[in-house]
Amino acid sequence: MNKYRVYGRAAKDLFRIGKKHYLYYSIMTIARQSMPFIGFIYMRKIIDTLISNRIGDTHSLIIQFICTSLILQLVQGMMQPLVDNEQEISEKKMYAEASRKMLRMHFHHAESTAVKERLENINQMLLSSQSSLPLLSLRFKYVFPSLISIIWGIILLHPLFIVDTAVIPSQFWWVHPGAIITMFVLAISISLFIQVKSSKKSAEALSRTIHEASEWRKQAFYEEKVLEDIKSGKEIRLYRLSGRLLENFQKQHHYLTDIMNGMYRVFRITAVPTNILAQLMSYMIYSFLGLLVLLGALKVGLLVQLSGALSQVITAIPTCIQQLMMMISDPEWLNEYYAFMDLPDEETIGSIPVEKRMDNQYEIAVSNLAFAYPGSEELVLKNITEQFEVGKKYAIVGENGSGKTTFIKLLTRLYEPTEGLIKMNKIDSSKYELREYFNLFGVVFQDYHLLGFSIGQNISVNPDYNHSKVMNTLDEVGLGEFVRTLPKQSDTYLGTEFDDSGMNVSGGQEQKIAIARSLYKDAPIMILDEPTAALDPITEFDIYQNFDNLVKDKTAFYISHRLSSSKFSDEILVFDKGEIVQRGSHKKLVEQDGKYQELWNAQAQYYQ
Ligand code: ADP
């Protein structure tokens, strides 16, 4: 994308995120920046009335000046807390944008290592890359006050163009407003030239700092995450990691501060010549203005207004241009950010709605399916062509890494196939709207996640839920009796993150809640991907025996590493190295030479 378009898009995004913040900030800044200029105007008027002996007018001008100043102060004071509050909100939103995108994004991309690394990179560079949204926002706050000063300057300096030069004696021809304007333009040009040169130096210092700091920042970032992550608490304690981690973290912090201080030193040094030049030019301009007054071409009051406005504008113009130049430098971060933000969202995928059927007749078939994970060439699934009957129960078995979970991820369209098709009711499933397609599946993954909300909210995935339906589902998975003994029943929170009276349930109970969640969804296709791993064999046996009742007339797939559980299925699919090598009932497969018999015999010794 063109550089200016990228910045245009960033400006739009910043405005969308921080509309109120910028509105309050602009009002506050206009009030603050206007104060000195309003002062110059009143000063001019007051001096003029004093010189022409209109003391009555002087008094009313002083009162007007005090009132205007008070109003401006009041506006500033009122806006400040609003600005601070909105700034915090908009910053949080800015930081959350990329993470929220991760949740909206098609899982196929969200899960890929390349995309995860991209997000990590974007987050790490957030506070060091010149074109990141927070730093652009900060830079806007440097540019905007200068812009206000420049506008005021132009308004207040215009009398310079209408000075009565006829009264200037001919030997003072060089004391001309034109000379002052030339000097003014020259002063600004030279100061700009120096600033451009020095900003190159500053930019070099900055990129050196970013480079030096990036490795340390990466580590500090990681360790900060580890220290904050409650899940690593067990290891931190048992292996006494906290002292070492904290020490390391502090060292890195000091190192980063040193690097940053070095950079600011360069900034300060490069600013010295500009300041000296600005001072010199100001004195010369004041002297010329003074001469114009002495020669009678300028009123004393106007001298105050002009010199005041000039002093403000002489620093505002270079600051504004320099900041704008730094703002529109290399949009490296923005390019990376927008490439990430433009990855397809779930809701943009697929165009036809899924047919709503009361009879659950959703038939799945796959043909010539092959799949390699994004960023990898290796096919983890290949040559899979199968049809599945509505209402049947399928067990998926095979050694670890044979592709069972990946197959489920493809059926549910969390990933898109590399080759081949998945058909739902004879239509290519990629044509269906993805969000609607997801509604067809009730899935419990091995690595399921429960949230720190109440049991009921976890099961219904909704803050408002049908209590009796939740309890019925809990009864189905055999957890109803336990939940009824809890004081708050299904309103009991899981964990103590949101409620001190929340409880920590066992791994087995958690799995039952996860299974209940998939049943509550009442989707036509049920999938259990080894969710019973943390259950003891007897409970697992009960669940699978009860499985027919649980899934009723729905099509069901379940993966289990305990082959004894697959006996309850109508058919077994045997995976080996990414292919389905056998398919049939337990009775048929156990008698057939092949992978299933091999796996069965290996496990059978444990059941005897
Ligand atoms: P199973 O469920 O049979 O144990 P999986 O479907 O989980 O097997 O894995 C099949 C293969 O795909 C394995 O070689 C595994 O390492 C690889 N794999 C699984 N998940 C990912 C992933 N997110 N990225 C890359 N490779 C993966």
Side-chain angles (χ1 to χ4, degrees), residues 373-563:
Y373 276 97
S376 151
E377 299 273 296
E378 190 196 337
L379 288 177
V380 293
L381 287 181
K382 48 192 174 290
N383 305 327
I384 300 183
T385 300
E386 300 287 342
Q387 203 159 349
F388 303 104
E389 270 179 56
V390 175
K392 272 203 169 177
K393 319 281 174 275
Y394 296 94
I396 298 179
V397 303
E399 285 170 7
N400 274 344
S402 58
K404 304 183 294 292
T405 302
T406 309
F407 179 66
I408 296 303
K409 286 182 188 162
L410 285 182
L411 281 191
T412 49
R413 279 182 65 203
L414 286 171
Y415 281 100
E416 300 294 352
T418 310
E419 279 169 37
L421 284 182
I422 296 166
K423 288 186 177 169
M424 172 67 70
N425 288 349
K426 305 204 165 38
I427 294 175
D428 174 4
S429 69
S430 67
K431 300 231 169 16
Y432 290 119
E433 284 175 25
L434 191 57
R435 290 258 166 109
E436 287 209 359
Y437 186 81
F438 283 161
N439 288 339
L440 299 177
F441 297 90
V443 190
V444 190
F445 282 109
Q446 237 167 344
D447 54 350
Y448 61 84
H449 281 288
L450 294 180
L451 307 167
F453 302 143
S454 74
I455 297 178
Q457 285 168 347
N458 263 289
I459 291 175
S460 62
V461 203
N462 202 326
D464 306 307
Y465 57 90
N466 181 331
H467 183 80
S468 63
K469 191 176 164 194
V470 163
M471 286 315 297
N472 287 343
T473 320
L474 284 168
D475 281 332
E476 287 184 65
V477 293
L479 209 59
E481 221 169 288
F482 165 72
V483 173
R484 280 190 192 85
T485 63
L486 302 172
K488 290 190 183 171
Q489 301 209 352
S490 64
D491 289 333
T492 308
Y493 269 68
L494 292 180
T496 46
E497 237 157 6
F498 294 110
D499 187 348
D500 287 342
S501 66
M503 73 171 304
N504 291 312
V505 290
S506 73
Q509 285 166 331
E510 272 190 6
Q511 276 184 324
K512 286 183 176 177
I513 294 173
I515 295 174
R517 176 169 64 187
S518 70
L519 291 172
Y520 186 96
K521 189 174 175 186
D522 201 17
I525 301 161
M526 281 288 298
I527 299 178
L528 304 188
D529 177 6
E530 283 203 272
T532 49
L535 302 182
D536 56 82
I538 298 174
T539 317
E540 175 179 320
F541 190 82
D542 286 346
I543 286 199
Y544 280 116
Q545 204 165 35
N546 196 21
F547 198 67
D548 268 351
N549 295 337
L550 294 182
V551 300
K552 302 182 186 91
D553 57 347
K554 295 168 181 168
T555 312
F557 295 88
Y558 56 92
I559 301 177
S560 173
H561 67 283
R562 293 186 186 125
L563 293 195

Side-chain angles (χ1 to χ4, degrees), residues 176-206:
H176 194 275
I180 295 175
I181 293 164
T182 316
M183 248 191 291
F184 177 70
V185 173
L186 211 66
I188 286 175
S189 314
I190 296 175
S191 127
L192 252 178
F193 177 75
I194 294 178
Q195 285 220 6
V196 169
K197 285 274 167 210
S198 64
S199 66
K200 247 194 192 157
K201 273 226 164 78
S202 318
E204 277 165 19
L206 193 69

Side-chain angles (χ1 to χ4, degrees), residues 207-226:
S207 76
R208 239 192 347 264
T209 311
I210 291 170
H211 185 73
E212 281 178 41
S214 70
E215 273 310 304
W216 287 88
R217 199 180 276 278
K218 237 186 222 171
Q219 269 196 42
F221 193 72
Y222 172 74
E223 283 174 10
E224 198 176 333
K225 260 198 330 205
V226 172

